């Protein structure tokens, strides 16, 4: 239950005031779980195309005073993220917005800042504090002066071309060094070219050449993200276009603040999106209202002929919003409807109204009724076998948005207003669905969820769970991960929360490193049934060479789409039997409980593992002695193909 700070009569009770009151009364640390909700209130209704709200930055200034260790002591399950900051210029203006952006996404910031202008030394010296920090994210914030500081006086375009090429090569080599020696994700950025720099050339032809050279430099920086799994590049050009000037010339001259506060705040927002994705907090479902959200008008009052998503100026704005929603849905985000309307008229519009870009088949769930929307969102999450924190809810009603925000704080609420021209910007402002890389499974996800309706029909018609599973025809393949599956396996570790026994998050480079390690097995779980191919739905990570002998299951993960079908028991049976055949003395495993994975706490005991120890934060160690009589078996309704070794499965295609 939320804690409300005490206030005097007449005192304002906005979210920033409540945050200040908690701090003033010494209750901010014990009330820290309330912080994301308060910060979400601060961002609601702000300019979607502009910089973060000033009050959010003020909140960040307050939160930056907190001791992360003190917060962790009070809340051991808080998700702490260590961020090291280095750069070329004065970056003090980054601390407050970065703290606020991380905090509002449920991440507890641990910020480590380097010395002024120390970016080259920090990245070049593997013994530097930047490497020693073992940061989850390293921000190397650069600006155009890294090039212009090295030009002769006077300079020509040829000098810029030469220095820019050398600087790009240097940054590339430093990025490669960090990827090899560092622990986290390195974040670089493109370099905005200032008008005052370009205007120092008096002829238009030279300015054009400078523009080409500068764009080639920035394109080269962006390509570094494609070359390295653990490098991310923030493109500052779109931020500059929406945030105002790159810098204040006076602060740039006197204080070496070469990137202004508004731009740094926008940059911090992008870093917040990235960190959220790295922590597996990417949203999976976009739930939209209909009246005055997907179309102009109210279906129940105006009838089908009175609503529009084309043909009128205002209607065209709704049509653009539908196209943006459809674009997101085509990339693996599940789409659903939550609307206070009668169901049949809604379905008729989605099936046949000439203005509609989106059709019924684009949605995995259409909840159109007169029940409270928070209850409908719970129903959608349950039907999709997802937590409500996987949902983003977009609605134009302040009442409905407030209801959902208060009763379901895990849902990300996108508050649309009466101006449909801003719907797209509001929806996209927070990058709720951002992932490091899109996979084939992402693009097929909506179709896979739609086939689940047929599975549910079979389950409801079956006389028992056993009859349902027997009729489902479950097939499981367990075999080494193939090269083209590395991105998908990394994504499974980042996005799976419910069936994730240790919640260890792995980037693609981490998965590849384990694949290349002689002492590790990285096994992919693939499944299909009578209704279709589910694709790669999970993974098992095994250390076969750890001190003390035996096989150690470092983690096991499974998509929520295929829960309770015997897949997990089948795969563990295959691992245990393979370990015994390989001569291992035992198989060890660990379960680390979180707020989301409690449903799988009994998995290991259910297949013959016994508890051997308990650790910090409720973690439990298990051991299976591989006695013949205790070996688990594959459920009768599952057809399993297992190849538990480092070699590719026979006939496997890479």
């Amino acid at each position: 239950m939320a804690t409300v700070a005490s206030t005097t009569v007449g005192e304002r009770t906005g979210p920033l005031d409540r945050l200040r009151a908690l701090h003033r009364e010494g209750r901010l640390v014990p009330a820290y779980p309330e912080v994301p909700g308060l910060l979400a209130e601060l961002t609601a209704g702000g300019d979607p195309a502009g910089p973060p709200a000033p009050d959010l930055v003020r909140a960040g200034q307050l939160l930056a005073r907190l001791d992360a260790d003190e917060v962790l002591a009070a809340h051991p399950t808080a998700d702490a993220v260590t961020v090291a900051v280095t750069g070329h210029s004065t970056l003090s203006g980054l601390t407050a917005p970065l703290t606020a952006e991380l905090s509002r996404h449920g991440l507890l910031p641990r910020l480590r800042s380097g010395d002024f202008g120390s970016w080259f030394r920090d990245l070049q010296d593997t013994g530097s504090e930047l490497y020693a920090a073992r940061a989850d994210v390293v921000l190397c914030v650069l600006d155009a002066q890294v090039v212009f500081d090295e030009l002769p006086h006077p300079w020509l375009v040829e000098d810029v071309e030469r220095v820019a090429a050398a600087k790009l090569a240097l940054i590339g080599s430093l990025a490669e060094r960090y990827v090899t020696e560092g622990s986290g994700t390195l974040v670089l950025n493109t370099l905005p070219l200032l008008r005052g720099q370009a205007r120092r050339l008096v002829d238009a032809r030279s300015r054009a050449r400078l523009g080409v050279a500068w764009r080639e430099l920035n394109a080269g920086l962006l390509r570094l993200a494609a070359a390295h799994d653990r490098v991310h590049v923030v493109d500052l050009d779109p931020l500059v276009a929406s945030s105002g000037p790159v810098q204040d010339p006076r602060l740039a001259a006197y204080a070496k603040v070469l990137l202004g506060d508004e731009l740094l705040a926008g940059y911090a927002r992008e870093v917040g999106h990235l960190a959220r994705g790295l922590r597996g907090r990417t949203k999976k479902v976009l739930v939209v209202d209909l009246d005055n959200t997907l179309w102009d008008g109210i279906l129940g009052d105006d009838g089908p002929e009175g609503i529009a998503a084309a043909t009128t100026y205002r209607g065209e704005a709704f049509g653009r919003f539908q196209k943006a929603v459809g674009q997101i849905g085509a990339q693996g985000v599940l789409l659903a409807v939550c609307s206070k309307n009668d169901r049949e008229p809604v379905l008729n519009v989605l099936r046949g109204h000439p203005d509609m870009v989106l059709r019924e088949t684009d949605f995995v769930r259409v909840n159109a009724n007169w029940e409270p929307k928070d209850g409908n969102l719970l129903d959608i999450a349950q039907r999709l076998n997802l937590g409500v924190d996987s949902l983003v809810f977009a609605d134009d009603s302040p009442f409905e948005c407030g209801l959902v925000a208060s009763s379901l704080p895990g849902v990300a609420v996108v508050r649309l207003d009466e101006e449909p021209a801003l719907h797209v910007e509001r929806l996209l402002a927070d990058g709720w669905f951002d992932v490091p890389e899109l996979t084939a499974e992402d693009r097929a996800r909506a179709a896979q969820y739609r086939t689940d309706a047929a599975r549910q029909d079979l389950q409801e018609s079956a006389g028992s769970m056993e009859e349902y599973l027997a009729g489902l025809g479950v097939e499981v393949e367990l075999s080494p991960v193939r090269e083209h599956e590395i991105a998908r396996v990394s994504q499974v570790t980042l996005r799976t929360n419910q069936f994730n026994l240790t919640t260890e998050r792995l980037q693609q480079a981490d998965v590849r490193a384990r694949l290349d390690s002689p002492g590790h097995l990285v096994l992919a779980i693939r499944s299909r049934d009578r209704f279709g191919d589910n694709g790669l739905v999970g993974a098992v990570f095994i250390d076969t060479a750890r001190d003390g002998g035996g096989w150690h299951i470092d983690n096991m993960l499974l998509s929520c789409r295929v829960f309770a079908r015997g897949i997990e028991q089948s795969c563990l049976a295959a691992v245990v039997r393979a370990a015994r055949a390989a001569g291992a003395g035992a198989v060890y495993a660990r379960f680390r409980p979180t707020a989301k994975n409690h449903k799988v706490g009994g998995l290991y005991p259910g297949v013959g593992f016994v508890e051997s120890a308990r650790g910090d934060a409720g973690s439990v160690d298990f051991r299976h002695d591989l006695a013949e009589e205790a070996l688990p078996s594959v459920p009768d309704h599952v057809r399993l193909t297992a190849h538990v070794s480092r070699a590719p499965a026979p006939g496997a295609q890479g």
Side-chain angles (χ1 to χ4, degrees), residues 189-427:
N189 59 271
T190 58
L191 313 181
L193 179 65
L194 300 180
R195 182 176 183 274
Q197 291 161 336
R199 298 295 293 186
R200 298 184 189 199
L201 297 170
V202 298
D203 66 295
R205 188 175 298 275
S206 293
R207 288 179 196 156
R209 282 185 59 193
L210 176 62
V212 170
W214 207 261
R215 284 163 177 78
E216 288 176 346
L217 167 63
N218 281 332
L221 289 169
L222 289 166
R223 290 189 188 100
L224 292 176
H228 302 289
D229 294 338
R230 288 196 290 116
V231 174
H232 182 86
V233 181
V234 176
D235 189 352
L236 293 188
D237 281 353
L239 302 184
V240 171
S242 62
S243 69
V246 172
Q247 62 180 222
D248 182 321
R250 293 162 297 182
L251 289 174
Y254 302 133
K256 303 302 183 215
V257 178
L258 303 183
L259 299 176
D261 286 348
E262 286 192 8
L263 181 56
L264 287 177
Y267 170 85
R269 175 188 284 174
E270 297 299 313
V271 173
H273 301 169
L274 171 66
R276 184 185 62 213
L278 295 176
R279 276 295 201 263
R281 294 173 177 266
T282 297
K283 304 293 185 179
K284 300 176 182 179
V285 187
L286 172 58
V287 185
V288 293
D289 176 43
L290 296 177
D291 294 332
N292 291 321
T293 296
L294 278 195
W295 57 62
D296 186 20
I298 299 175
L299 179 60
D301 294 340
D302 304 324
E305 67 283 354
I307 64 173
T311 68
T312 67
Y313 287 121
R314 186 174 169 85
E316 287 177 356
F318 289 93
R320 286 193 294 273
F321 182 67
Q322 287 199 30
K323 288 181 180 178
V325 171
Q327 176 75 15
I328 292 173
Q331 298 171 84
V333 176
L334 305 178
L335 305 180
V337 166
C338 180
S339 172
K340 285 189 174 178
N341 261 303
D342 291 324
R343 180 174 174 81
E344 286 306 313
V346 164
L347 293 181
N348 289 337
V349 168
L350 292 177
R351 290 166 181 166
H353 196 290
D355 282 9
M356 294 303 113
V357 175
L358 296 170
R359 294 298 181 186
E360 181 186 7
T361 54
D362 291 306
F363 299 97
V364 296
R365 184 76 184 167
V366 177
N367 277 23
N369 54 51
W370 297 96
E371 298 299 319
K373 289 197 174 182
D374 53 349
N376 270 307
L377 290 175
L378 284 170
D379 176 72
I380 290 170
Q382 182 179 7
R383 295 277 183 169
L384 298 177
N385 202 14
L386 295 169
V388 292
D389 58 352
S390 296
L391 308 184
V392 174
F393 174 59
D395 198 305
D396 68 301
S397 165
F399 170 78
E400 302 293 0
C401 288
L403 170 68
V404 171
S406 62
S407 62
L408 300 175
V411 176
V413 177
V414 177
R415 166 74 170 92
L416 307 176
D417 60 20
E418 64 280 356
E419 179 47 79
L422 295 178
H423 281 10
V424 173
E425 284 72 17
R426 293 191 184 280
L427 175 64

Side-chain angles (χ1 to χ4, degrees), residues 566 569-571 573-574 577 632-640:
Q569 293 89 345
S570 300
C571 292
R577 290 174 179 270
S633 59
V634 177
D636 292 339
H637 67 273
V638 175
R639 189 169 74 184
L640 173 69

Side-chain angles (χ1 to χ4, degrees), residues 478 553 556 566-581 586-589 602-610 623-636 638 640 642 644:
L478 180 70
I553 300 177
M556 182 176 182
I567 294 172
E568 56 269 38
Q569 293 89 345
S570 300
C571 292
L572 282 176
V575 169
V576 168
R577 290 174 179 270
R580 189 173 191 271
V587 176
Y588 302 90
L603 175 65
Y604 288 126
V607 291
F609 284 74
V610 296
R623 174 188 172 104
H624 198 297
D625 289 328
L626 305 181
E628 178 68 32
E629 63 275 10
L631 293 180
S633 59
V634 177
D636 292 339
V638 175
L640 173 69
V644 184

Side-chain angles (χ1 to χ4, degrees), residues 501-546:
L501 297 198
T502 65
T503 63
E504 182 179 13
R505 313 296 184 183
L506 300 177
Q507 303 303 311
Q508 291 184 42
D510 302 319
V511 176
R512 185 173 284 107
R514 297 200 185 196
L515 274 174
D516 294 341
S517 170
H520 285 85
L521 296 175
V522 183
L523 306 175
I525 303 172
R526 309 170 192 88
S527 79
R528 60 178 297 111
D529 56 40
R530 60 180 279 191
F531 295 104
D533 191 343
N534 292 304
L536 195 157
V537 294
V540 186
F541 295 88
I542 303 170
D543 185 345
T544 63
R546 191 176 302 175

